[in-house]
Amino acid sequence: MKKILVILLACIFVIPLAACGGGGSAKYTIDTDTVDLKAVPKDYPLMSVEQIQKGVDELHEKNFDGKERTYEDLVKIFGEEGAYFKKCDTEYNKVTYLTYAWFAEKDKSVMVTFKKDGNKLIYYAWSSGTVLPSKK
């Protein structure tokens, strides 16, 4: 009985710690105390200006369709993983928000905020950084 109680207590303490990882499994991370769109990870493969512009246009178009999007959906839109600002998570009303950025040549960037929902990152908002949607 004691062994079961010990295992149960261990699970109670370990599971919340595992959930606090944020974007811990991110391929690219940024280790700054604030969101700095000039802090491009050294190993980040810069996209072309055309590629990031296409991604911004698609994101802008899909922004109002009411469908839930995940981090993986944005990876498909931009064709590359985002870089995670690992020290910039924010908690508000018991919801954790994580910030990622996508970078391109000529200092072009897009910042995206995700809400953490269990192990899923749900798209919440984006800021064009230095890339505006094309006028159509």
Side-chain angles (χ1 to χ4, degrees):
M1 184 68 177
K2 283 184 180 180
K3 287 182 182 181
I4 293 173
L5 184 59
V6 169
I7 291 171
L8 183 60
L9 287 172
C11 288
I12 289 171
F13 289 110
V14 170
I15 290 172
L17 291 175
C20 292
S25 63
K27 187 174 182 179
Y28 307 104
T29 59
I30 301 170
D31 194 22
T32 59
D33 292 330
T34 60
V35 174
D36 178 1
L37 293 176
K38 299 284 185 191
V40 182
K42 289 181 175 150
D43 59 343
Y44 192 85
L46 293 177
M47 294 183 275
S48 68
V49 173
E50 294 79 17
Q51 183 182 5
I52 201 167
Q53 184 66 61
K54 182 181 174 200
V56 165
D57 290 342
E58 186 174 343
L59 183 58
H60 180 70
E61 183 180 306
K62 292 181 175 184
N63 199 40
F64 301 105
D65 67 7
K67 293 183 182 173
E68 182 177 275
R69 299 217 179 345
T70 63
Y71 172 79
E72 290 76 16
D73 294 326
L74 270 71
V75 169
K76 289 176 188 170
I77 287 173
F78 286 105
E80 184 56 66
E81 297 271 339
Y84 169 55
F85 287 90
K86 65 182 183 179
K87 291 183 178 178
C88 298
D89 292 0
T90 304
E91 188 165 321
Y92 181 74
N93 285 340
K94 298 182 182 180
V95 176
T96 302
Y97 297 89
L98 290 76
T99 303
Y100 281 73
W102 278 260
F103 298 98
E105 304 161 337
K106 300 182 182 178
D107 291 329
K108 302 292 184 187
S109 60
V110 175
M111 182 182 74
V112 179
T113 303
F114 295 91
K115 291 191 306 186
K116 186 168 182 174
D117 182 11
N119 288 330
K120 271 180 26 178
L121 295 179
I122 307 299
Y123 163 73
Y124 181 72
W126 70 284
S127 172
S128 63
T130 55
V131 185
L132 298 175
S134 300
K135 295 181 180 180
K136 294 184 182 186

